């Protein structure tokens, strides 16, 4: 598999990866309001903004996008892998690339981890440094971990 910078032509396929992963995985951990929040957040406009930043990449299996990752300075803003490709090292491959880019400018990577992703990040050396809560509709709360990792140049 190859990780490369995302292009605008990939936006629809990236959105499909994001929404498929969110609907399949997050629905096991979170109520519908949280799933809807993430799907609404990862709309086409937001994806195109991330692509334009040149900080969004895709993991390709042949010509198929199986995962995506994005960062902003030292903040990993998202890592998503299609459910059928999870537990095969795809998330780690994306994180390797994101961390390498971040390490060029910062000694620390930070991220907000969803409940399903905490184990992956802990396995990679991230430590919880705080917790966040976002209030959504119907009095639903999105709870997440704030994590960081010291990087090596």
């Amino acid at each position: 598999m190859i990780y490369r910078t995302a292009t605008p032509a990939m936006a629809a396929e990236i959105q499909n990866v994001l929404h498929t992963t969110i609907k399949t995985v997050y629905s096991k951990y979170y109520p519908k309001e949280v799933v809807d929040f993430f799907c609404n957040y990862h709309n086409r406009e937001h994806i195109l903004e991330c692509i334009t930043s040149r900080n969004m990449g895709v993991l390709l299996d042949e010509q198929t996008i199986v995962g995506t990752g994005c960062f902003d300075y030292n903040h990993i803003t998202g890592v998503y892998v299609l459910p059928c490709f999870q537990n095969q090292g795809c998330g780690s491959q994306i994180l390797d690339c994101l961390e390498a880019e971040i390490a060029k400018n910062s000694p620390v990577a930070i991220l907000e981890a969803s409940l399903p992703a905490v184990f992956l990040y802990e396995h990679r050396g991230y430590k919880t440094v705080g917790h966040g809560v976002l209030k959504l509709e119907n009095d639903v709360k999105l709870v997440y971990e704030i994590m960081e990792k010291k990087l090596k140049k």
Side-chain angles (χ1 to χ4, degrees):
M1 290 199 209
I2 298 171
Y3 188 80
R4 60 177 274 216
T5 303
T7 66
M10 298 172 174
E13 193 174 355
I14 291 169
Q15 186 173 17
N16 180 59
V17 168
L18 292 166
H19 286 214
T20 299
T21 305
I22 290 164
K23 289 174 182 175
T24 304
V25 176
Y26 284 28
S27 63
K28 296 174 185 173
Y29 295 83
Y30 294 116
K32 179 184 182 307
E33 290 84 355
V34 173
V35 173
D36 291 346
F37 167 80
F38 278 106
C39 285
N40 290 334
Y41 179 77
H42 292 293
N43 60 44
R44 184 173 176 82
E45 182 179 308
H46 178 256
I47 292 165
L48 286 170
E49 287 173 11
C50 292
I51 291 170
T52 301
S53 75
R54 309 272 310 145
N55 294 337
M56 178 176 252
V58 293
L59 186 63
L60 297 165
D61 180 28
E62 303 288 326
Q63 297 298 315
T64 303
I65 298 172
V66 301
T68 185
C70 192
F71 72 99
D72 182 18
Y73 182 61
N74 74 330
H75 183 193
I76 295 174
T77 58
V79 175
Y80 291 89
V81 175
L82 284 172
C84 60
F85 285 89
Q86 291 180 3
N87 299 310
Q88 299 176 35
C90 296
S92 289
Q93 188 173 348
I94 293 169
L95 282 167
D96 286 344
C97 296
L98 296 175
E99 290 170 359
E101 285 301 312
I102 291 169
K104 293 176 182 176
N105 298 305
S106 176
V108 176
I110 60 169
L111 54 82
E112 288 87 31
S114 63
L115 295 176
V118 169
F119 180 74
L120 168 67
Y121 296 127
E122 287 176 341
H123 181 72
R124 292 190 51 91
Y126 285 82
K127 304 288 184 209
T128 298
V129 295
H131 298 86
V133 177
L134 182 62
K135 293 179 183 178
L136 303 177
E137 61 187 23
N138 300 327
D139 289 326
V140 170
K141 293 180 178 84
L142 166 58
V143 179
Y144 56 91
E145 306 270 329
I146 301 165
M147 304 181 84
E148 69 177 36
K149 177 182 177 179
K150 292 185 182 2
L151 303 174
K152 298 174 183 168
K153 282 203 170 205

